[in-house]
Amino acid sequence: MHRFRQLLNRRLLQQSQCSLPSQCSGLCFPLQQWLPLQRDLSISCPSLYSSNFNSGSGGNRPGGGGDGSNNDGDGRSQGPSAAYNTISDILNVTTKTREEDSWVDKRASNDLSNIDETEDNEKKLSESIDPRPVLNYASGPGGTTKSGVIMGIETSCDDTGVAVVNTEKQILGEALNSQLQIHLNHGGIIPPVAKHLHEQHITRIIKEAMTEAKVTVKDLDAIATTVKPGLSLSLLVGLKHGKQLCVEGNKPFIPIHHMKAHALTCRMLQDIQFPYLVLLISGGHCLLALAKSIDDFEILGTTIDDAPGEAFDKTARRLKLYNLPEGSSLPGGAAIEYYARRGNPEGFKFPTPMYKYRDCNWSFAGLKFIALRHILREERAHGCDGPDVIPTHADVCASFQYAVVAHLCKKIQRGMIYADMKHLIPDNNRVLVVSGGVACNESVKKGLDLVCQEMNYKLICPEKKLCTDNGVMIAWNGVEKYQAGIDLIPPSDLDSIDIEPKSAMGISLHEEIRQMNIKCKRIKMLHLFQPEIPKVASTGTVG
Ligand code: KG4
Ligand code: ZN
């Protein structure tokens, strides 16, 4: 049966030109649920579901068509930018436009990042992987005493963040420009728009951080900048400005890996020693890693399709939560969390994804897909049209959130058991660090905390503003690298530095974990999800 499922799914994937064939072979959810869904929604693969969803599902964005065709002719949705001619058209878009928008995919948006990049540049990007010249300005690897002041620049996605942090773990100055509301207004991140906004604000943000820190470029010891992974157009803005400052002040440049920076921020806040476990959950990532040193990570698990934030965002959008007063200015995940407080976590049934796979990988596309099915049924049942929000939205939010958290927790539990079996974490350092935008979610934290209690771990989560993208985490990673003498690039070698839109954080332990076939005892957590606030049925819309 398993082999049959794989063959059939492979066939389906070939037919649909799925971009993730190796990841979708029946992993997401059982076939018996899968086939009716296909008929129901004319969609052939959960991974395509995110990118082809506009057209295949009756998505209500004009231009999406009802025939599964897309404007770019390659089987992928173009995202909302298709409806606009210039960036200023997009920036002028009103909240109302979101009613016309559908389930825009970050990956689909990522595809747009290449639209003004030449083939040569693409080639250059793919060839730009190390080696790079490394200069030991500090006391060499392992050196930890050299004091200094480091600036960090973050532009990997949709936040322009700059901070100045010193080796005494003090944040001397910080500034952030969030693009959230603009991207919310048209239903997803459009890379050229993100780039434009970074360019518009970065000089001001650098100036603000330096003014608050009371430093000039000559007072800095190095400039750390995110160069990987991320949206290429966004990364290039930070890179350009980071390099300019290095040349101006004759300072070393420190290239930063965005995910590693997320994973290490907690060391600025508390005395956390290596090795420790870290969970990174955001709109673009989901991974459980073993942090062994500043630059050495091993990956226990990752998502095979959507990141949890991506699944939250798309479900929120499909629920049209932006048409409700409180949902109109919140990121998708935060909107789901808000309404989930009023909902019944057992109101709608969600299957457990990948329950037969005893590894630490996740799949969130299937949950998002089931959410869609529930929403469509409810819309039909309640005659909801256009901007109307289904009256049962709180129950969908609560049930979906519960399913996401339970799935996250299960795989982390297995990761902890694996770490025990392999003696990866010393008894006195049983720490799980969690960061990324989704770590702002209180229910996620409650679920993780329960797993930590069961497994005798301590959960550590930075405050919200340090969980989401920011300049402090980049500056802090710069501090750690500066002190260890890692990756200090002299101004004369700046040409050797380029961005890497895709970049693994470390080697994968997936195969080894899978082969160990680790069984986990069930941790019940439904009681954590009971409604906190009496339900108020709302079908109202903003304005
Ligand atoms: O780390 P982040 O700021 O940016 C990257 O994706 O790298 O994370 C943004 C993601 C979005 O998907 C957003 O919906 C999600 O974090 N998020 C939340 C919450 N607040 C933000 N997800 C669940 N619950 C929240 N309270
Ligand atoms: Zn991030």
Short mmCIF file of all heavy atoms in Angstrom, two decimals, residues 154 156-157 258-259 262 282-285 436-437 467-470 473, ligand 2:
data_model
loop_
_atom_site.label_atom_id
_atom_site.label_comp_id
_atom_site.label_asym_id
_atom_site.label_seq_id
_atom_site.Cartn_x
_atom_site.Cartn_y
_atom_site.Cartn_z
N GLU A 154 20.29 44.20 9.13
CA GLU A 154 19.41 43.09 8.72
C GLU A 154 18.42 43.58 7.65
O GLU A 154 17.65 44.52 7.90
CB GLU A 154 18.65 42.58 9.95
CG GLU A 154 17.36 41.82 9.68
CD GLU A 154 17.53 40.55 8.85
OE1 GLU A 154 18.60 39.92 8.92
OE2 GLU A 154 16.58 40.20 8.12
N SER A 156 17.07 40.85 5.34
CA SER A 156 16.90 39.61 4.56
C SER A 156 15.48 39.41 4.05
O SER A 156 15.26 38.68 3.10
CB SER A 156 17.32 38.40 5.38
OG SER A 156 16.41 38.20 6.43
N CYS A 157 14.50 40.05 4.69
CA CYS A 157 13.12 39.83 4.26
C CYS A 157 12.37 41.16 4.18
O CYS A 157 12.61 41.95 3.28
CB CYS A 157 12.46 38.83 5.20
SG CYS A 157 10.86 38.26 4.62
N HIS A 258 21.47 34.50 8.62
CA HIS A 258 20.29 34.98 9.35
C HIS A 258 19.79 33.97 10.40
O HIS A 258 19.47 34.35 11.53
CB HIS A 258 19.18 35.27 8.32
CG HIS A 258 17.90 35.74 8.89
ND1 HIS A 258 17.65 37.07 9.16
CD2 HIS A 258 16.77 35.08 9.25
CE1 HIS A 258 16.43 37.19 9.65
NE2 HIS A 258 15.86 36.00 9.72
N MET A 259 19.70 32.70 10.03
CA MET A 259 19.15 31.70 10.94
C MET A 259 20.08 31.45 12.12
O MET A 259 19.64 31.26 13.26
CB MET A 259 18.86 30.38 10.20
CG MET A 259 17.94 30.53 9.03
SD MET A 259 16.42 31.40 9.40
CE MET A 259 15.62 30.25 10.49
N HIS A 262 19.51 34.18 14.56
CA HIS A 262 18.32 33.92 15.38
C HIS A 262 18.68 32.94 16.51
O HIS A 262 18.26 33.11 17.66
CB HIS A 262 17.24 33.23 14.54
CG HIS A 262 16.24 34.17 13.92
ND1 HIS A 262 15.52 35.08 14.66
CD2 HIS A 262 15.81 34.29 12.63
CE1 HIS A 262 14.70 35.74 13.84
NE2 HIS A 262 14.86 35.29 12.62
N SER A 282 9.39 30.47 11.84
CA SER A 282 9.04 31.80 11.33
C SER A 282 8.20 31.66 10.07
O SER A 282 7.70 30.58 9.78
CB SER A 282 10.33 32.58 11.04
OG SER A 282 10.97 32.01 9.93
N GLY A 283 8.10 32.76 9.34
CA GLY A 283 7.34 32.73 8.10
C GLY A 283 8.08 32.00 6.99
O GLY A 283 7.48 31.58 6.01
N GLY A 284 9.37 31.88 7.12
CA GLY A 284 10.15 31.25 6.06
C GLY A 284 10.87 29.99 6.50
O GLY A 284 11.42 29.28 5.66
N HIS A 285 10.88 29.72 7.79
CA HIS A 285 11.69 28.60 8.27
C HIS A 285 11.02 27.81 9.37
O HIS A 285 10.19 28.33 10.11
CB HIS A 285 13.04 29.11 8.81
CG HIS A 285 13.86 29.77 7.76
ND1 HIS A 285 14.67 29.08 6.90
CD2 HIS A 285 13.96 31.07 7.42
CE1 HIS A 285 15.24 29.91 6.07
NE2 HIS A 285 14.81 31.14 6.35
N GLY A 436 12.16 33.19 16.34
CA GLY A 436 11.44 33.36 15.07
C GLY A 436 10.04 33.92 15.38
O GLY A 436 9.56 33.79 16.51
N GLY A 437 9.41 34.50 14.38
CA GLY A 437 8.13 35.18 14.59
C GLY A 437 7.06 34.33 15.26
O GLY A 437 6.29 34.80 16.09
N CYS A 467 12.56 38.02 18.91
CA CYS A 467 12.17 36.79 18.19
C CYS A 467 11.98 37.08 16.72
O CYS A 467 12.35 36.29 15.85
CB CYS A 467 10.85 36.24 18.73
SG CYS A 467 11.05 35.22 20.18
N THR A 468 11.34 38.22 16.42
CA THR A 468 11.13 38.58 15.02
C THR A 468 12.43 39.21 14.49
O THR A 468 13.37 39.46 15.26
CB THR A 468 9.96 39.58 14.88
OG1 THR A 468 10.19 40.64 15.80
CG2 THR A 468 8.64 38.93 15.22
N ASP A 469 12.47 39.46 13.19
CA ASP A 469 13.72 39.94 12.60
C ASP A 469 14.10 41.31 13.17
O ASP A 469 13.25 42.18 13.35
CB ASP A 469 13.55 40.04 11.07
CG ASP A 469 13.40 38.65 10.46
OD1 ASP A 469 13.61 37.66 11.18
OD2 ASP A 469 13.08 38.58 9.27
N ASN A 470 15.39 41.49 13.41
CA ASN A 470 15.86 42.73 14.03
C ASN A 470 17.37 42.88 13.79
O ASN A 470 18.05 41.91 13.42
CB ASN A 470 15.56 42.70 15.54
CG ASN A 470 16.30 41.57 16.23
OD1 ASN A 470 17.46 41.72 16.59
ND2 ASN A 470 15.66 40.40 16.39
N MET A 473 20.12 41.01 16.66
CA MET A 473 20.62 39.63 16.53
C MET A 473 21.80 39.56 15.56
O MET A 473 22.72 38.76 15.74
CB MET A 473 19.49 38.69 16.10
CG MET A 473 18.97 38.89 14.70
SD MET A 473 17.55 37.80 14.40
CE MET A 473 17.63 37.61 12.63
ZN ZN B 2 13.94 35.65 10.69
#
